[in-house]
């Protein structure tokens, strides 16, 4: 199958890519430098469920990138939603910093969880269930995207998820949640019905439009700053397997087609069933030659897809590995993004237009970076989705701020040697600066799930920032949820 050929090629060279009362006032819990005492293990075992386990090895919760990764001294593998409450209460009581993790793909370079901290591994909470009509799905907080899709497909349904199988579904959704079907159904945050959340004092709350509406607004776009979501009730869409098909795959171009490809993507009018990605990547071993890759997506027939993307096909790709494939295989070609380990300091930016001259300059920077030994798995990517339906939903309905951003790009250096960090940072910063130089926005804008970590709040949360600070003061005044684009409580 041609699509499987794309998957194999990509594997070689794409990125190895509060009951609602506020907590009791107490000193900051993040000034303690010592490692969590091992004597705490016995205390924890006494209060956790029988299925929960405790580890002191990072190998038990590996991360996608080892660049400035969290280095907790203790990992707690929770088995129940109550375990999450228990760990949060224990950490707050004992002044221990903590972080919840599912897929471990958050790539920011500003983590500050060290040996004195606890990582709450959510992977044990991975179930997805559907109501009888298949119009709603209950998704636990530790489920990966591929697990959600597998259950949806088995139940003749669709659920809005991201496009990388091994990413934690909840983390992707709480940041906003782009995905293949968003042209039809909106962002993930638009499809959440309610959330079960462990708050900063270890209490559990059901949060929805009718229950704690301020927190509801904040969680959908900046969720990691306000609690740990143990499960979400989301909309789902009954779809028989015979209709649950899309045309997608790879169109490969030589570098002399860059300007034409970029202009074609800029000019595309993406209808609801469509999206398109642009990559700079390599051809893989043995030569690792830089190449241009476009992945069109059309939810419908192959004939419909080819007609919709005729402008790109007319540029005569040197290889076409597209195919008509079922829902549970749409993300397969990107499974190389699931390879964990190595160093991947990634820099993102949002922009309104694809400018050919900018992309030529980015190509030159990319080719120069590939000259460094050990960087051959590095890549550049940009995503573009149909936004018509998503933009029909008022921006004020959630804290997610990027409904007006047409393109999201990321420069992803990929290497093993820490001695290359400085060159990788310079490369990523340069590409980000090039995007920003022609982004057509009055100030920088970056999708929170694509950001590097040095961005101020108003770059990732935009005009939502002041209200988020006020809500933070109400629900997390001691700022215990401070690992991911920290929002300081209003004072």
């Amino acid at each position: 199958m041609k699509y499987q050929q794309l998957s194999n090629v990509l594997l070689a060279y794409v990125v190895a890519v509060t009951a609602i009362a506020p907590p009791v006032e107490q000193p900051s819990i993040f000034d303690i430098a010592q490692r969590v005492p091992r004597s705490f293990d016995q205390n924890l075992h006494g209060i956790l469920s029988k299925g929960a386990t405790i580890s002191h090895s990072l190998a038990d919760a590996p991360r996608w990138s080892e660049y400035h990764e969290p280095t907790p001294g203790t990992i707690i593998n929770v088995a129940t939603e109550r375990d999450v409450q228990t760990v949060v209460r224990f950490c707050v009581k004992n002044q221990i910093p903590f972080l919840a993790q599912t897929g471990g793909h958050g790539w920011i370079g500003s983590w500050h969880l060290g040996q004195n901290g606890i990582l709450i591994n959510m992977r044990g909470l991975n179930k997805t269930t559907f109501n009888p009509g298949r119009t709603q799905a209950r998704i636990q907080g530790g489920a990966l995207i591929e697990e959600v899709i597998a259950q949806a497909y088995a139940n003749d349904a669709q659920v809005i998820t991201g496009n990388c199988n091994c990413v934690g579904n909840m983390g992707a959704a709480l940041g906003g949640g782009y995905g293949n079907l968003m042209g039809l159904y909106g962002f993930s945050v638009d499809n959440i019905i309610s959330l079960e959340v462990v708050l900063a004092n270890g209490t559990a709350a059901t949060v929805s439009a009718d229950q704690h509406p301020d927190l509801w607004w904040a969680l959908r776009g900046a969720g990691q700053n306000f609690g740990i979501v143990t499960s979400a009730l989301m909309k789902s869409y009954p779809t028989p397997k015979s209709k649950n098909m899309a045309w997608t795959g790879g169109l490969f171009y030589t570098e002399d087609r860059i300007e034409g490809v970029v202009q074609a993507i800029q000019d595309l009018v993406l209808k609801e069933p469509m999206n398109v990605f642009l990559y700079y990547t390599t051809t893989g071993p043995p030569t690792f030659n830089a190449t241009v890759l476009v992945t069109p997506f059309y939810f419908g027939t192959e004939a419909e897809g080819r007609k919709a993307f005729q402008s790109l096909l007319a540029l005569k790709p040197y290889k076409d590995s597209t195919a008509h494939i079922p829902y549970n295989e749409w993300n397969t070609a990107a499974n190389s993004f699931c390879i964990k380990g190595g160093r991947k300091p990634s820099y993102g930016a949002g922009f309104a237009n694809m400018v050919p001259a900018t992309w030529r300059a980015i190509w030159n920077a990319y080719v120069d970076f590939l000259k460094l030994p050990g960087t051959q798995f590095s890549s550049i990517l940009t995503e573009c989705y149909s936004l018509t339906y998503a933009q029909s939903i008022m921006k004020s309905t959630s804290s997610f701020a990027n409904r007006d951003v047409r393109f999201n790009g990321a420069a992803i250096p990929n290497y093993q040697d820490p001695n290359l960090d400085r060159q990788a940072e310079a490369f990523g910063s340069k590409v980000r600066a090039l995007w920003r130089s022609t982004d057509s926005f009055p100030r920088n804008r970056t999708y929170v799930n694509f950001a590097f970590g040095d961005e101020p709040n108003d770059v990732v949360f935009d005009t939502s920032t002041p209200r988020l600070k006020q809500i933070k003061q109400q629900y997390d005044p001691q700022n215990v949820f401070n690992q991911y684009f920290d929002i300081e409580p209003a004072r």
Side-chain angles (χ1 to χ4, degrees):
M1 175 182 282
K2 291 188 290 183
Y3 187 72
Q4 184 60 46
Q5 293 172 356
L6 170 63
S7 178
N8 293 338
V9 171
L10 284 174
L11 186 60
Y13 64 80
V14 181
V15 179
V17 252
T18 347
I20 303 300
V24 177
E25 191 79 8
Q26 59 181 313
S28 171
I29 67 173
F30 301 105
D31 297 328
I32 301 171
Q34 79 273 15
R35 183 188 182 102
V36 178
R38 292 293 179 92
S39 60
F40 281 2
D41 286 13
Q42 185 174 355
N43 296 335
L44 283 162
H45 278 302
I47 57 177
L48 292 169
S49 71
K50 291 183 179 180
T53 61
I54 299 174
S55 170
H56 300 281
S57 171
L58 292 179
D60 291 334
R63 294 196 64 84
W64 178 70
S65 174
E66 296 168 356
Y67 173 85
H68 293 185
E69 66 178 333
T71 56
T74 300
I75 297 169
I76 300 178
N77 305 298
V78 296
T80 67
E81 296 188 22
R82 185 173 292 276
D83 283 338
V84 180
Q85 289 183 258
T86 298
V87 178
V88 170
R89 287 172 176 163
F90 180 87
C91 288
V92 171
K93 178 181 178 180
N94 292 283
Q95 302 183 351
I96 299 170
F98 61 92
L99 168 69
Q101 172 179 307
T102 295
H105 277 71
W107 66 40
I108 64 169
S110 56
W111 297 111
H112 51 275
L113 189 75
Q115 288 290 297
N116 61 314
I118 286 177
L119 187 144
I120 304 171
N121 184 9
M122 300 287 289
R123 283 292 293 126
L125 305 177
N126 55 31
K127 292 183 174 59
T128 298
T129 56
F130 291 82
N131 69 346
R134 293 168 289 129
T135 58
Q136 297 179 357
R138 170 69 64 183
I139 303 171
Q140 288 191 305
L144 301 179
I145 286 171
E146 65 180 342
E147 293 169 336
V148 176
I149 291 174
Q151 287 302 310
Y153 187 67
N155 283 274
D156 287 328
Q158 294 177 334
V159 177
I160 305 303
T161 71
N163 301 328
C164 186
N165 277 333
C166 52
V167 168
N169 183 73
M170 204 61 65
L174 294 177
Y178 290 83
N180 284 321
L181 296 169
M182 63 168 291
L184 297 167
Y185 308 128
F187 289 97
S188 290
V189 294
D190 303 325
N191 285 269
I192 299 173
I193 299 169
S194 65
L195 297 165
E196 300 301 317
V197 188
V198 175
L199 301 171
N201 61 0
T203 58
T206 299
V207 181
S208 69
D210 299 321
Q211 301 178 80
H212 321 302
D214 279 351
L215 188 57
W216 169 247
W217 178 87
L219 285 165
R220 292 174 305 121
Q224 293 89 340
N225 284 279
F226 293 89
I228 300 173
V229 174
T230 55
S231 71
L233 185 65
M234 297 192 68
K235 298 176 184 177
S236 65
Y237 302 90
T239 311
K241 291 182 180 64
S242 61
K243 301 288 187 181
N244 215 347
M245 303 282 291
W247 175 75
T248 189
L251 303 174
F252 296 82
Y253 298 88
T254 52
E255 63 87 16
D256 60 302
R257 295 286 195 269
I258 286 174
E259 285 78 8
V261 166
V262 170
Q263 192 62 53
I265 293 174
Q266 167 68 19
D267 294 341
L268 266 176
V269 178
L270 292 177
K271 301 294 180 63
E272 288 82 356
M274 301 169 65
N275 68 64
V276 64
F277 289 15
L278 170 63
Y279 297 87
Y280 288 166
T281 185
T282 78
T283 55
T287 58
F288 290 100
N289 293 323
T291 193
V292 179
L293 167 64
V294 175
T295 58
F297 176 92
Y298 191 94
F299 177 56
T301 67
E302 179 171 353
E304 292 169 334
R306 289 188 174 276
K307 180 179 180 180
F309 287 98
Q310 180 55 39
S311 60
L312 283 165
L313 292 166
L315 293 171
K316 298 182 179 179
Y318 70 81
K319 181 178 180 180
D320 178 345
S321 63
T322 57
H324 195 232
I325 57 175
Y327 174 48
N328 62 339
E329 295 181 15
W330 293 352
N331 293 350
T332 303
N335 279 350
S336 56
F337 279 92
C338 296
I339 299 173
K340 295 193 175 185
R343 305 180 74 79
K344 309 178 185 92
S346 303
Y347 289 73
F351 40 101
N353 295 293
M354 294 282 283
V355 179
T358 299
W359 279 90
R360 173 58 66 179
I362 291 171
W363 173 267
N364 293 337
Y366 176 63
V367 172
D368 284 346
F369 183 69
L370 289 179
K371 294 175 183 177
L372 295 173
T375 62
Q376 67 270 23
F377 293 105
S378 302
S379 63
I380 307 284
L381 75 85
T382 288
E383 302 181 353
C384 182
Y385 298 88
S386 171
L387 295 174
T388 303
Y389 178 79
Q391 290 178 345
S392 72
I393 299 170
M394 293 182 63
K395 183 177 180 179
S396 60
T397 59
S398 70
S399 61
F400 174 67
N402 279 31
R403 291 182 191 274
D404 59 331
V405 178
R406 186 180 177 198
F407 301 98
N408 292 292
I412 309 177
N414 187 343
Y415 55 95
Q416 300 291 328
D417 185 359
N419 291 320
L420 291 174
D421 281 351
R422 185 165 297 181
Q423 293 99 315
E425 291 161 358
F427 163 65
S429 295
K430 181 175 183 178
V431 173
R432 182 174 67 178
L434 285 166
W435 277 322
R436 288 177 171 177
S437 70
T438 55
D439 64 9
S440 300
F441 292 123
R443 63 179 179 184
N444 297 331
R445 303 285 298 282
T446 303
Y447 178 40
V448 66
N449 289 346
F450 272 25
F452 172 68
D454 61 348
E455 297 87 347
N457 285 163
D458 62 0
V459 170
V460 292
F461 301 123
D462 196 41
T463 55
S464 296
T465 302
R467 186 179 175 190
L468 286 169
K469 289 177 178 287
Q470 293 292 333
I471 299 170
K472 183 77 166 180
Q473 172 60 25
Q474 180 182 357
Y475 289 101
D476 185 14
Q478 294 305 309
N479 199 19
V480 300
F481 297 112
N482 74 348
Q483 289 288 323
Y484 197 79
F485 291 99
D486 183 24
I487 297 173
E488 289 283 348
R491 302 299 183 188

